[in-house]
Amino acid sequence: MGNHRLKSLLCATALVAVAGNAAAGEFDGVTLQAKLIGGQQYEALYARIGEWEEKTGAKVDVISKKNHFELDKEFKSDLAAGTLGWCVGSNHSSFASQYPSLYTDLTPYLTSDFIGEYVPSNIAASKIGDALVMLPRAQFDVSALYYLKSVYEDEDNKAAYKAKTGRDLAPPDTWDEYKEQAIFFTDAPNFYGTQYAGKDEAIVGRFYELVIAEGGQLFNDDWSPAFNSDAGKRALKWFVDLYEAGAVPPGTTSYLWDDLGQGFASGTIALNLDWPGWAGFFNGEDSSKAAGDVGVKVQPAGTAGVRTGWSGHHGFSVTESCDNKEAAASLVAWLTNEDSQKLESSAGPLPTRTAVWDHVVSSAEGDAYRTEVLKAFQAAASHAFPAPQTPYWIEATNLIYPELQAAILGDKSIDDALSDASEAVDEMMQENGVY
């Protein structure tokens, strides 16, 4: 056995202790540079970095903190320029396949027992081939429907909706009902029926899951584009119709996740498809005007009878070029260990460790809102499906989203927008030798 492999195995044995109870002085004098995702729902965990520093003697220098879309650009720039002096990076199952050479295999630095404490499906989605390139944090993402209960309890709304549709007013179970109710509730510019993320991978992911819900596919089996279809046209029409009706804020085509979170928390949005990480924020007295008025239920279904369920999870990775992988892997394990996941999941995010799932279920007893959230997201998770597992996913979304925007803004017809997007993705896939 080579010295490097022996060292790795010895470090792996030591690391499990560090991950659960960091060993005093284990990494005295070590400084790790990190690039981490920023945003309200992710920040609480980072307080634990100070605990790890105190226990191990190491220091963490966070040199970048941005959303994943901006981090993605930064990572690609670093790869192109060879500026990879940093060690720890935020990662996501939707982005990871783009970086086959950026991150190291964490397996040599962890025992199989430690890895076995994570939900197996999350670990499987954290690999590129056989290499474990990411440890999942308690940020498993699938979207459920948040809504303001007061708009459904209002007697005038009930009567007007019944007169208009012949149906009783209740939170929607289909995307057609969702659109109809969003338009019905809108009283612009003071109150809007809904909102959606309108750029980057965010809108393409929403479009993707609506295409699935309408009975279609984004890609064929050979990765040629399949979304220029009847299902794709129905899906895009949903976005277009809401925008044309003024049922979404006028700036929605520039929105990303933080914009949606702040929007629903303002109490001026009736319906909001969103991630579990916002659950605590939406119902927090100090953070949300919607607090005490938030309902949560399983996401609606499309005309094919399929519920939307685009999903993924966040995690942390260690760069291949890191000069102290043992310390970096220790930090990544610390940030995703049981205590860290209990901390994150207490605000609503779904854990990726089996024992923490049990903890979340038991700790929700007696808390009506948390029980409702957990029930909704457990149902939502049963309909989950991942982003397309191709290294060209993000590149494809960068070609698709401007065309979706063009249709929403009325600059192109739905047919032309999807045709142009399909042609661009097809050309990109062929240029990369995919088929």
Side-chain angles (χ1 to χ4, degrees):
M1 179 182 291
N3 289 337
H4 176 72
R5 180 60 178 163
L6 177 60
K7 179 182 178 184
S8 294
L9 289 174
L10 290 172
C11 288
T13 302
L15 177 60
V16 176
V18 173
N21 294 288
E26 180 77 15
F27 301 114
D28 276 337
V30 172
T31 297
L32 301 175
Q33 290 187 327
K35 295 193 172 189
L36 305 179
I37 187 171
Q40 178 276 329
Q41 68 269 49
Y42 310 121
E43 291 292 332
L45 177 64
Y46 300 151
R48 296 209 77 217
I49 292 175
E51 297 179 51
W52 181 84
E53 290 176 322
E54 184 177 350
K55 289 176 180 292
T56 65
K59 296 295 180 185
V60 179
D61 179 14
V62 179
I63 60 174
S64 184
K65 191 181 284 186
K66 301 175 180 175
N67 67 47
H68 261 310
F69 305 109
E70 294 303 316
L71 285 179
D72 177 59
K73 296 172 185 175
E74 211 169 275
F75 294 166
K76 288 172 179 172
S77 177
D78 289 345
L79 283 165
T83 52
L84 293 167
W86 50 279
C87 278
V88 175
S90 288
N91 207 345
H92 193 283
S93 56
S94 293
F95 288 74
S97 63
Q98 299 180 103
Y99 318 125
S101 63
L102 176 56
Y103 294 123
T104 198
D105 181 8
L106 291 167
T107 308
Y109 308 100
L110 305 166
T111 67
S112 58
D113 286 345
F114 184 78
I115 296 171
E117 294 170 1
Y118 297 84
V119 175
S121 60
N122 292 128
I123 285 293
S126 298
K127 293 182 176 182
I128 297 178
D130 293 328
L132 179 62
V133 298
M134 169 173 58
L135 280 184
R137 66 189 285 185
Q139 290 284 348
F140 172 64
D141 281 340
V142 64
S143 293
L145 175 59
Y146 295 92
Y147 60 92
L148 295 183
K149 292 186 289 188
S150 57
V151 300
Y152 289 92
E153 296 166 354
D154 183 272
E155 294 300 328
D156 290 341
N157 282 346
K158 290 180 182 180
Y161 190 78
K162 181 78 169 183
K164 181 178 178 63
T165 69
R167 301 189 304 274
D168 292 332
L169 181 61
D173 197 53
T174 71
W175 284 109
D176 283 344
E177 288 177 333
Y178 186 114
K179 180 172 68 174
E180 181 180 51
Q181 290 184 11
I183 294 170
F184 171 79
F185 287 133
T186 294
D187 182 20
N190 300 313
F191 193 84
Y192 291 93
T194 191
Q195 56 184 353
Y196 50 76
K199 67 177 185 177
D200 295 336
E201 185 221 19
I203 189 172
V204 182
R206 288 288 183 242
F207 171 70
Y208 160 55
E209 59 182 346
L210 277 169
V211 172
I212 299 295
E214 290 298 315
Q217 296 288 335
L218 207 67
F219 296 103
N220 295 308
D221 290 344
D222 64 355
W223 294 111
S224 59
F227 55 82
N228 187 17
S229 62
D230 288 344
K233 292 171 185 177
R234 290 194 298 272
L236 181 51
K237 190 174 186 297
W238 183 87
F239 294 92
V240 171
D241 287 351
L242 285 168
Y243 189 86
E244 288 184 346
V248 296
T252 198
T253 50
S254 66
Y255 283 7
L256 288 174
W257 307 124
D258 279 359
D259 303 295
L260 300 186
Q262 295 296 335
F264 187 73
S266 74
T268 63
I269 304 291
L271 296 162
N272 185 48
L273 184 72
D274 220 326
W275 311 107
W278 288 104
F281 184 80
F282 288 155
N283 208 45
E285 293 289 346
D286 295 332
S287 57
S288 174
K289 292 181 180 179
D293 191 26
V294 182
V296 196
K297 64 167 289 183
V298 69
Q299 66 272 35
T303 60
V306 178
R307 296 190 188 276
T308 50
W310 168 45
S311 67
H313 67 269
H314 294 247
F316 298 102
S317 299
V318 174
T319 60
E320 185 63 50
S321 60
C322 180
D323 60 4
N324 199 320
K325 293 185 177 69
E326 292 84 1
S330 171
L331 174 61
V332 166
W334 174 265
L335 290 173
T336 63
N337 69 14
E338 188 167 328
D339 287 340
S340 291
Q341 294 220 1
K342 285 179 178 178
L343 171 65
E344 285 211 278
S345 61
S346 67
L350 305 184
T352 56
R353 280 176 158 263
T354 304
V356 182
W357 265 107
D358 296 337
H359 167 78
V360 167
V361 171
S362 62
S363 65
E365 292 180 6
D367 185 325
Y369 177 71
R370 286 191 66 198
T371 299
E372 181 180 359
V373 168
L374 183 60
K375 181 178 179 181
F377 278 101
Q378 282 181 316
S382 72
H383 302 287
F385 46 84
Q389 299 297 289
T390 168
Y392 303 105
W393 162 243
I394 297 299
E395 193 168 347
T397 68
N398 288 337
L399 296 171
I400 296 170
Y401 90 77
E403 301 299 336
L404 301 182
Q405 286 183 328
I408 291 167
L409 295 171
D411 297 332
K412 288 186 179 182
S413 68
I414 289 174
D415 287 358
D416 287 346
L418 291 182
S419 177
D420 290 348
S422 180
E423 183 178 337
V425 172
D426 180 62
E427 182 178 342
M428 181 272 291
M429 290 293 192
Q430 291 195 54
E431 286 177 352
N432 284 285
V434 177
Y435 50 83

